[in-house]
Amino acid sequence: MRSDLHKAMLLLALPCLIFLAFFLVPLGVVLLSSLMAEGWQGASLQHYARILLDQYHWDVILVTFRIALFTTLICLLLGYPLAWFLVRVLRSSLWRRIFVIALVVPLFTSNIVRSFGWMIMLGRNGQVNDTLRALGLIDTPIRFIGTETGILIGMVYILLPFVVLAVGTSLSQMNRGLEYASSDLGASPFRTFLHVTLPLSLPGLASGAIMVFALAVSAYVTPALLSGGRVTVLSMLIYQQYSTVFNFNYGGALSIVLLVLTLALVALANRAGHVRGG
């Protein structure tokens, strides 16, 4: 028994050390730097006061979380039907594999490359405006670059596969007998979906939403490239402080504020889901 315990502890030692070295220690360094005054001259909360008492920072926070929230909602609205199509509509396993590969392959491409692609497509003379003009929907080009709409388009394209894969896994593992039982008891397909299928797929929906929101709220490359310098999010401010201004104390405070606000919103959403489910 003691030998098995020692083996288990040895197996856990390496993951714990990696977690400590590559997560807790860097996070501790960022937290410590955020609590130091300029020039590392003693402890201070001046950076947090600067962030929380300045309207500019609150505007940036609002833009950051608004983009992340809308990205999450759009990914959920588009991802659930697509996951349903892959799992419930496609009967051929070959075509299902093809669609899944087409969905996953872009994940192996750098976000920089994909964002540059969207910069070309969303430009004034890009394919999107050309298509809209050809269909007679617009007379003059729409400005996408430098707007929140352009950032949303790029973010949804990059993060949509996470929702599709999470919901698709949940749907594929669902007990179809419960749906058949609901139909046998006289429920319509819509009522069966609303009262049986949707609640059973909520874990996959929730996990996909959390992944998308966490990735969207901390994204840097896509907002930086598609913003055109006109829209600023927190990750861009953090990058600027670390790479350009070299103000690690202020940058650390911005990072901790982003982390705390993100965790708070995820916790509230998780609690709301438990309360509703209960």
Side-chain angles (χ1 to χ4, degrees), residues 28-65:
V29 171
V30 172
L31 178 61
L32 180 63
S33 66
S34 71
L35 296 173
M36 302 297 291
E38 296 286 351
W40 302 85
Q41 298 175 355
S44 174
L45 295 175
Q46 67 182 58
H47 305 293
Y48 291 100
R50 176 183 176 183
I51 295 169
L52 299 178
L53 299 178
D54 184 12
Q55 183 60 41
Y56 169 75
H57 289 93
W58 281 109
D59 291 339
V60 173
I61 290 172
L62 179 62
V63 170
T64 301
F65 283 89

mmCIF file of all heavy atoms in Angstrom, residues 28-65:
data_model
loop_
_atom_site.group_PDB
_atom_site.id
_atom_site.type_symbol
_atom_site.label_atom_id
_atom_site.label_comp_id
_atom_site.label_asym_id
_atom_site.label_seq_id
_atom_site.Cartn_x
_atom_site.Cartn_y
_atom_site.Cartn_z
ATOM 1 N N GLY A 28 2.762 34.742 -9.810
ATOM 2 C CA GLY A 28 3.215 35.411 -8.594
ATOM 3 C C GLY A 28 4.118 36.597 -8.895
ATOM 4 O O GLY A 28 4.033 37.643 -8.237
ATOM 5 N N VAL A 29 4.987 36.449 -9.905
ATOM 6 C CA VAL A 29 5.867 37.548 -10.292
ATOM 7 C C VAL A 29 5.057 38.732 -10.824
ATOM 8 O O VAL A 29 5.321 39.896 -10.480
ATOM 9 C CB VAL A 29 6.884 37.067 -11.347
ATOM 10 C CG1 VAL A 29 7.670 38.245 -11.927
ATOM 11 C CG2 VAL A 29 7.835 36.049 -10.742
ATOM 12 N N VAL A 30 4.053 38.442 -11.650
ATOM 13 C CA VAL A 30 3.205 39.507 -12.190
ATOM 14 C C VAL A 30 2.451 40.203 -11.057
ATOM 15 O O VAL A 30 2.361 41.443 -11.010
ATOM 16 C CB VAL A 30 2.222 38.934 -13.227
ATOM 17 C CG1 VAL A 30 1.197 39.990 -13.641
ATOM 18 C CG2 VAL A 30 2.972 38.432 -14.443
ATOM 19 N N LEU A 31 1.906 39.420 -10.126
ATOM 20 C CA LEU A 31 1.176 39.997 -8.994
ATOM 21 C C LEU A 31 2.097 40.857 -8.136
ATOM 22 O O LEU A 31 1.720 41.963 -7.721
ATOM 23 C CB LEU A 31 0.546 38.879 -8.160
ATOM 24 C CG LEU A 31 -0.216 39.314 -6.896
ATOM 25 C CD1 LEU A 31 -1.380 40.231 -7.261
ATOM 26 C CD2 LEU A 31 -0.724 38.084 -6.141
ATOM 27 N N LEU A 32 3.285 40.363 -7.865
ATOM 28 C CA LEU A 32 4.234 41.115 -7.046
ATOM 29 C C LEU A 32 4.633 42.415 -7.719
ATOM 30 O O LEU A 32 4.689 43.477 -7.075
ATOM 31 C CB LEU A 32 5.469 40.260 -6.775
ATOM 32 C CG LEU A 32 6.579 40.909 -5.917
ATOM 33 C CD1 LEU A 32 6.046 41.220 -4.521
ATOM 34 C CD2 LEU A 32 7.789 39.993 -5.850
ATOM 35 N N SER A 33 4.905 42.362 -9.012
ATOM 36 C CA SER A 33 5.288 43.586 -9.718
ATOM 37 C C SER A 33 4.165 44.602 -9.748
ATOM 38 O O SER A 33 4.412 45.814 -9.718
ATOM 39 C CB SER A 33 5.722 43.239 -11.146
ATOM 40 O OG SER A 33 4.630 42.747 -11.908
ATOM 41 N N SER A 34 2.911 44.125 -9.790
ATOM 42 C CA SER A 34 1.781 45.062 -9.823
ATOM 43 C C SER A 34 1.587 45.782 -8.499
ATOM 44 O O SER A 34 0.953 46.842 -8.455
ATOM 45 C CB SER A 34 0.498 44.311 -10.196
ATOM 46 O OG SER A 34 0.069 43.467 -9.129
ATOM 47 N N LEU A 35 2.125 45.233 -7.435
ATOM 48 C CA LEU A 35 1.978 45.824 -6.101
ATOM 49 C C LEU A 35 3.170 46.688 -5.712
ATOM 50 O O LEU A 35 3.255 47.141 -4.571
ATOM 51 C CB LEU A 35 1.790 44.721 -5.055
ATOM 52 C CG LEU A 35 0.517 43.876 -5.187
ATOM 53 C CD1 LEU A 35 0.527 42.719 -4.205
ATOM 54 C CD2 LEU A 35 -0.720 44.737 -4.978
ATOM 55 N N MET A 36 4.085 46.907 -6.649
ATOM 56 C CA MET A 36 5.259 47.724 -6.382
ATOM 57 C C MET A 36 5.104 49.085 -7.040
ATOM 58 O O MET A 36 4.507 49.214 -8.119
ATOM 59 C CB MET A 36 6.517 47.037 -6.898
ATOM 60 C CG MET A 36 6.764 45.655 -6.312
ATOM 61 S SD MET A 36 7.038 45.683 -4.525
ATOM 62 C CE MET A 36 8.643 46.489 -4.480
ATOM 63 N N ALA A 37 5.666 50.103 -6.402
ATOM 64 C CA ALA A 37 5.619 51.455 -6.949
ATOM 65 C C ALA A 37 6.558 51.565 -8.142
ATOM 66 O O ALA A 37 7.328 50.651 -8.449
ATOM 67 C CB ALA A 37 5.991 52.465 -5.876
ATOM 68 N N GLU A 38 6.488 52.706 -8.843
ATOM 69 C CA GLU A 38 7.375 52.937 -9.972
ATOM 70 C C GLU A 38 8.829 52.817 -9.526
ATOM 71 O O GLU A 38 9.220 53.346 -8.493
ATOM 72 C CB GLU A 38 7.128 54.330 -10.556
ATOM 73 C CG GLU A 38 5.746 54.525 -11.153
ATOM 74 C CD GLU A 38 5.565 53.826 -12.482
ATOM 75 O OE1 GLU A 38 6.580 53.336 -13.013
ATOM 76 O OE2 GLU A 38 4.432 53.762 -12.975
ATOM 77 N N GLY A 39 9.623 52.123 -10.331
ATOM 78 C CA GLY A 39 11.014 51.939 -9.984
ATOM 79 C C GLY A 39 11.233 50.917 -8.890
ATOM 80 O O GLY A 39 12.331 50.848 -8.327
ATOM 81 N N TRP A 40 10.210 50.151 -8.589
ATOM 82 C CA TRP A 40 10.288 49.106 -7.567
ATOM 83 C C TRP A 40 10.656 49.688 -6.197
ATOM 84 O O TRP A 40 11.382 49.077 -5.408
ATOM 85 C CB TRP A 40 11.314 48.035 -7.970
ATOM 86 C CG TRP A 40 11.012 47.383 -9.275
ATOM 87 C CD1 TRP A 40 11.371 47.845 -10.510
ATOM 88 C CD2 TRP A 40 10.256 46.193 -9.505
ATOM 89 N NE1 TRP A 40 10.908 47.020 -11.489
ATOM 90 C CE2 TRP A 40 10.222 45.977 -10.904
ATOM 91 C CE3 TRP A 40 9.631 45.270 -8.656
ATOM 92 C CZ2 TRP A 40 9.577 44.907 -11.482
ATOM 93 C CZ3 TRP A 40 8.993 44.186 -9.239
ATOM 94 C CH2 TRP A 40 8.955 44.016 -10.633
ATOM 95 N N GLN A 41 10.134 50.882 -5.898
ATOM 96 C CA GLN A 41 10.463 51.548 -4.645
ATOM 97 C C GLN A 41 9.351 51.355 -3.617
ATOM 98 O O GLN A 41 8.600 52.259 -3.283
ATOM 99 C CB GLN A 41 10.702 53.043 -4.884
ATOM 100 C CG GLN A 41 11.863 53.320 -5.818
ATOM 101 C CD GLN A 41 12.018 54.787 -6.139
ATOM 102 O OE1 GLN A 41 11.199 55.604 -5.725
ATOM 103 N NE2 GLN A 41 13.060 55.141 -6.878
ATOM 104 N N GLY A 42 9.233 50.140 -3.123
ATOM 105 C CA GLY A 42 8.266 49.858 -2.071
ATOM 106 C C GLY A 42 6.909 49.457 -2.593
ATOM 107 O O GLY A 42 6.578 49.646 -3.772
ATOM 108 N N ALA A 43 6.107 48.883 -1.699
ATOM 109 C CA ALA A 43 4.764 48.432 -2.060
ATOM 110 C C ALA A 43 3.832 49.616 -2.264
ATOM 111 O O ALA A 43 3.934 50.642 -1.583
ATOM 112 C CB ALA A 43 4.219 47.505 -0.975
ATOM 113 N N SER A 44 2.914 49.445 -3.217
ATOM 114 C CA SER A 44 1.969 50.521 -3.517
ATOM 115 C C SER A 44 0.810 49.977 -4.335
ATOM 116 O O SER A 44 0.958 49.018 -5.088
ATOM 117 C CB SER A 44 2.666 51.643 -4.291
ATOM 118 O OG SER A 44 1.737 52.625 -4.703
ATOM 119 N N LEU A 45 -0.346 50.612 -4.163
ATOM 120 C CA LEU A 45 -1.536 50.270 -4.959
ATOM 121 C C LEU A 45 -1.821 51.337 -6.007
ATOM 122 O O LEU A 45 -2.933 51.411 -6.529
ATOM 123 C CB LEU A 45 -2.753 50.099 -4.040
ATOM 124 C CG LEU A 45 -2.715 48.933 -3.051
ATOM 125 C CD1 LEU A 45 -3.930 48.977 -2.136
ATOM 126 C CD2 LEU A 45 -2.653 47.595 -3.785
ATOM 127 N N GLN A 46 -0.815 52.158 -6.311
ATOM 128 C CA GLN A 46 -1.033 53.289 -7.202
ATOM 129 C C GLN A 46 -1.448 52.855 -8.599
ATOM 130 O O GLN A 46 -2.240 53.549 -9.256
ATOM 131 C CB GLN A 46 0.234 54.144 -7.283
ATOM 132 C CG GLN A 46 1.425 53.448 -7.959
ATOM 133 C CD GLN A 46 2.670 54.312 -7.966
ATOM 134 O OE1 GLN A 46 3.143 54.724 -6.914
ATOM 135 N NE2 GLN A 46 3.199 54.576 -9.154
ATOM 136 N N HIS A 47 -0.958 51.697 -9.048
ATOM 137 C CA HIS A 47 -1.301 51.254 -10.395
ATOM 138 C C HIS A 47 -2.763 50.809 -10.477
ATOM 139 O O HIS A 47 -3.446 51.082 -11.466
ATOM 140 C CB HIS A 47 -0.373 50.114 -10.812
ATOM 141 C CG HIS A 47 1.075 50.463 -10.720
ATOM 142 N ND1 HIS A 47 1.658 51.403 -11.525
ATOM 143 C CD2 HIS A 47 2.066 50.005 -9.892
ATOM 144 C CE1 HIS A 47 2.942 51.518 -11.230
ATOM 145 N NE2 HIS A 47 3.212 50.670 -10.239
ATOM 146 N N TYR A 48 -3.244 50.145 -9.446
ATOM 147 C CA TYR A 48 -4.650 49.751 -9.412
ATOM 148 C C TYR A 48 -5.548 50.980 -9.290
ATOM 149 O O TYR A 48 -6.616 51.033 -9.915
ATOM 150 C CB TYR A 48 -4.903 48.787 -8.258
ATOM 151 C CG TYR A 48 -4.268 47.431 -8.464
ATOM 152 C CD1 TYR A 48 -3.058 47.105 -7.854
ATOM 153 C CD2 TYR A 48 -4.855 46.478 -9.287
ATOM 154 C CE1 TYR A 48 -2.463 45.864 -8.050
ATOM 155 C CE2 TYR A 48 -4.268 45.236 -9.491
ATOM 156 C CZ TYR A 48 -3.072 44.938 -8.866
ATOM 157 O OH TYR A 48 -2.485 43.713 -9.064
ATOM 158 N N ALA A 49 -5.118 51.954 -8.500
ATOM 159 C CA ALA A 49 -5.888 53.198 -8.392
ATOM 160 C C ALA A 49 -5.928 53.915 -9.738
ATOM 161 O O ALA A 49 -6.966 54.454 -10.145
ATOM 162 C CB ALA A 49 -5.263 54.098 -7.323
ATOM 163 N N ARG A 50 -4.806 53.901 -10.438
ATOM 164 C CA ARG A 50 -4.741 54.531 -11.755
ATOM 165 C C ARG A 50 -5.706 53.872 -12.729
ATOM 166 O O ARG A 50 -6.353 54.550 -13.539
ATOM 167 C CB ARG A 50 -3.312 54.440 -12.286
ATOM 168 C CG ARG A 50 -3.110 54.971 -13.690
ATOM 169 C CD ARG A 50 -1.664 54.760 -14.118
ATOM 170 N NE ARG A 50 -1.460 55.168 -15.495
ATOM 171 C CZ ARG A 50 -0.306 55.036 -16.158
ATOM 172 N NH1 ARG A 50 0.737 54.488 -15.538
ATOM 173 N NH2 ARG A 50 -0.200 55.420 -17.412
ATOM 174 N N ILE A 51 -5.841 52.568 -12.637
ATOM 175 C CA ILE A 51 -6.711 51.825 -13.556
ATOM 176 C C ILE A 51 -8.183 52.018 -13.181
ATOM 177 O O ILE A 51 -9.025 52.332 -14.026
ATOM 178 C CB ILE A 51 -6.347 50.334 -13.548
ATOM 179 C CG1 ILE A 51 -4.941 50.129 -14.109
ATOM 180 C CG2 ILE A 51 -7.363 49.524 -14.366
ATOM 181 C CD1 ILE A 51 -4.395 48.723 -13.908
ATOM 182 N N LEU A 52 -8.493 51.816 -11.902
ATOM 183 C CA LEU A 52 -9.887 51.779 -11.470
ATOM 184 C C LEU A 52 -10.514 53.162 -11.323
ATOM 185 O O LEU A 52 -11.744 53.278 -11.281
ATOM 186 C CB LEU A 52 -9.991 51.019 -10.138
ATOM 187 C CG LEU A 52 -9.527 49.552 -10.191
ATOM 188 C CD1 LEU A 52 -9.621 48.922 -8.814
ATOM 189 C CD2 LEU A 52 -10.352 48.760 -11.190
ATOM 190 N N LEU A 53 -9.712 54.219 -11.246
ATOM 191 C CA LEU A 53 -10.247 55.572 -11.066
ATOM 192 C C LEU A 53 -10.180 56.405 -12.342
ATOM 193 O O LEU A 53 -10.491 57.593 -12.309
ATOM 194 C CB LEU A 53 -9.486 56.293 -9.941
ATOM 195 C CG LEU A 53 -9.562 55.648 -8.554
ATOM 196 C CD1 LEU A 53 -8.739 56.437 -7.546
ATOM 197 C CD2 LEU A 53 -11.011 55.530 -8.085
ATOM 198 N N ASP A 54 -9.784 55.792 -13.427
ATOM 199 C CA ASP A 54 -9.648 56.505 -14.696
ATOM 200 C C ASP A 54 -10.712 56.027 -15.672
ATOM 201 O O ASP A 54 -10.827 54.821 -15.929
ATOM 202 C CB ASP A 54 -8.250 56.262 -15.271
ATOM 203 C CG ASP A 54 -8.014 57.071 -16.541
ATOM 204 O OD1 ASP A 54 -8.822 57.963 -16.828
ATOM 205 O OD2 ASP A 54 -7.029 56.797 -17.250
ATOM 206 N N GLN A 55 -11.472 56.949 -16.239
ATOM 207 C CA GLN A 55 -12.552 56.597 -17.147
ATOM 208 C C GLN A 55 -12.032 55.931 -18.420
ATOM 209 O O GLN A 55 -12.693 55.050 -18.985
ATOM 210 C CB GLN A 55 -13.352 57.856 -17.523
ATOM 211 C CG GLN A 55 -14.556 57.602 -18.423
ATOM 212 C CD GLN A 55 -15.566 56.670 -17.773
ATOM 213 O OE1 GLN A 55 -15.845 56.784 -16.582
ATOM 214 N NE2 GLN A 55 -16.132 55.762 -18.554
ATOM 215 N N TYR A 56 -10.843 56.316 -18.874
ATOM 216 C CA TYR A 56 -10.271 55.715 -20.082
ATOM 217 C C TYR A 56 -10.112 54.204 -19.911
ATOM 218 O O TYR A 56 -10.445 53.427 -20.817
ATOM 219 C CB TYR A 56 -8.917 56.345 -20.396
ATOM 220 C CG TYR A 56 -8.139 55.597 -21.461
ATOM 221 C CD1 TYR A 56 -8.509 55.688 -22.802
ATOM 222 C CD2 TYR A 56 -7.044 54.795 -21.128
ATOM 223 C CE1 TYR A 56 -7.803 54.992 -23.782
ATOM 224 C CE2 TYR A 56 -6.343 54.104 -22.098
ATOM 225 C CZ TYR A 56 -6.721 54.204 -23.416
ATOM 226 O OH TYR A 56 -6.033 53.516 -24.384
ATOM 227 N N HIS A 57 -9.605 53.781 -18.751
ATOM 228 C CA HIS A 57 -9.407 52.353 -18.521
ATOM 229 C C HIS A 57 -10.739 51.611 -18.472
ATOM 230 O O HIS A 57 -10.849 50.485 -18.964
ATOM 231 C CB HIS A 57 -8.636 52.128 -17.221
ATOM 232 C CG HIS A 57 -7.196 52.545 -17.305
ATOM 233 N ND1 HIS A 57 -6.774 53.800 -16.929
ATOM 234 C CD2 HIS A 57 -6.097 51.892 -17.744
ATOM 235 C CE1 HIS A 57 -5.470 53.898 -17.118
ATOM 236 N NE2 HIS A 57 -5.032 52.755 -17.612
ATOM 237 N N TRP A 58 -11.757 52.239 -17.884
ATOM 238 C CA TRP A 58 -13.068 51.600 -17.840
ATOM 239 C C TRP A 58 -13.666 51.490 -19.245
ATOM 240 O O TRP A 58 -14.352 50.517 -19.557
ATOM 241 C CB TRP A 58 -14.009 52.361 -16.922
ATOM 242 C CG TRP A 58 -13.771 52.075 -15.477
ATOM 243 C CD1 TRP A 58 -13.241 52.893 -14.540
ATOM 244 C CD2 TRP A 58 -14.050 50.836 -14.799
ATOM 245 N NE1 TRP A 58 -13.157 52.254 -13.319
ATOM 246 C CE2 TRP A 58 -13.649 51.004 -13.449
ATOM 247 C CE3 TRP A 58 -14.574 49.616 -15.203
ATOM 248 C CZ2 TRP A 58 -13.776 49.974 -12.513
ATOM 249 C CZ3 TRP A 58 -14.711 48.592 -14.271
ATOM 250 C CH2 TRP A 58 -14.314 48.784 -12.939
ATOM 251 N N ASP A 59 -13.397 52.472 -20.097
ATOM 252 C CA ASP A 59 -13.856 52.383 -21.489
ATOM 253 C C ASP A 59 -13.184 51.218 -22.207
ATOM 254 O O ASP A 59 -13.824 50.475 -22.956
ATOM 255 C CB ASP A 59 -13.562 53.693 -22.227
ATOM 256 C CG ASP A 59 -14.412 54.847 -21.723
ATOM 257 O OD1 ASP A 59 -15.464 54.587 -21.118
ATOM 258 O OD2 ASP A 59 -14.009 56.012 -21.930
ATOM 259 N N VAL A 60 -11.887 51.045 -21.988
ATOM 260 C CA VAL A 60 -11.162 49.932 -22.603
ATOM 261 C C VAL A 60 -11.672 48.602 -22.065
ATOM 262 O O VAL A 60 -11.850 47.637 -22.826
ATOM 263 C CB VAL A 60 -9.649 50.072 -22.350
ATOM 264 C CG1 VAL A 60 -8.904 48.833 -22.844
ATOM 265 C CG2 VAL A 60 -9.106 51.316 -23.037
ATOM 266 N N ILE A 61 -11.916 48.524 -20.752
ATOM 267 C CA ILE A 61 -12.460 47.298 -20.155
ATOM 268 C C ILE A 61 -13.824 46.969 -20.750
ATOM 269 O O ILE A 61 -14.115 45.809 -21.078
ATOM 270 C CB ILE A 61 -12.553 47.452 -18.621
ATOM 271 C CG1 ILE A 61 -11.146 47.476 -18.006
ATOM 272 C CG2 ILE A 61 -13.371 46.318 -18.007
ATOM 273 C CD1 ILE A 61 -11.134 47.826 -16.533
ATOM 274 N N LEU A 62 -14.663 48.010 -20.911
ATOM 275 C CA LEU A 62 -15.995 47.793 -21.484
ATOM 276 C C LEU A 62 -15.903 47.266 -22.906
ATOM 277 O O LEU A 62 -16.598 46.313 -23.274
ATOM 278 C CB LEU A 62 -16.784 49.110 -21.458
ATOM 279 C CG LEU A 62 -18.199 49.064 -22.053
ATOM 280 C CD1 LEU A 62 -19.083 48.088 -21.270
ATOM 281 C CD2 LEU A 62 -18.826 50.453 -22.067
ATOM 282 N N VAL A 63 -15.024 47.847 -23.720
ATOM 283 C CA VAL A 63 -14.849 47.384 -25.105
ATOM 284 C C VAL A 63 -14.341 45.946 -25.126
ATOM 285 O O VAL A 63 -14.825 45.105 -25.898
ATOM 286 C CB VAL A 63 -13.876 48.316 -25.858
ATOM 287 C CG1 VAL A 63 -13.500 47.708 -27.208
ATOM 288 C CG2 VAL A 63 -14.502 49.683 -26.061
ATOM 289 N N THR A 64 -13.381 45.659 -24.252
ATOM 290 C CA THR A 64 -12.792 44.315 -24.209
ATOM 291 C C THR A 64 -13.845 43.261 -23.905
ATOM 292 O O THR A 64 -13.956 42.250 -24.615
ATOM 293 C CB THR A 64 -11.689 44.263 -23.131
ATOM 294 O OG1 THR A 64 -10.688 45.234 -23.433
ATOM 295 C CG2 THR A 64 -11.060 42.872 -23.084
ATOM 296 N N PHE A 65 -14.632 43.476 -22.862
ATOM 297 C CA PHE A 65 -15.608 42.469 -22.455
ATOM 298 C C PHE A 65 -16.833 42.474 -23.366
ATOM 299 O O PHE A 65 -17.483 41.438 -23.516
ATOM 300 C CB PHE A 65 -16.005 42.687 -20.992
ATOM 301 C CG PHE A 65 -14.963 42.201 -20.032
ATOM 302 C CD1 PHE A 65 -13.939 43.027 -19.618
ATOM 303 C CD2 PHE A 65 -14.982 40.901 -19.561
ATOM 304 C CE1 PHE A 65 -12.952 42.579 -18.746
ATOM 305 C CE2 PHE A 65 -14.020 40.435 -18.697
ATOM 306 C CZ PHE A 65 -12.998 41.277 -18.287
#
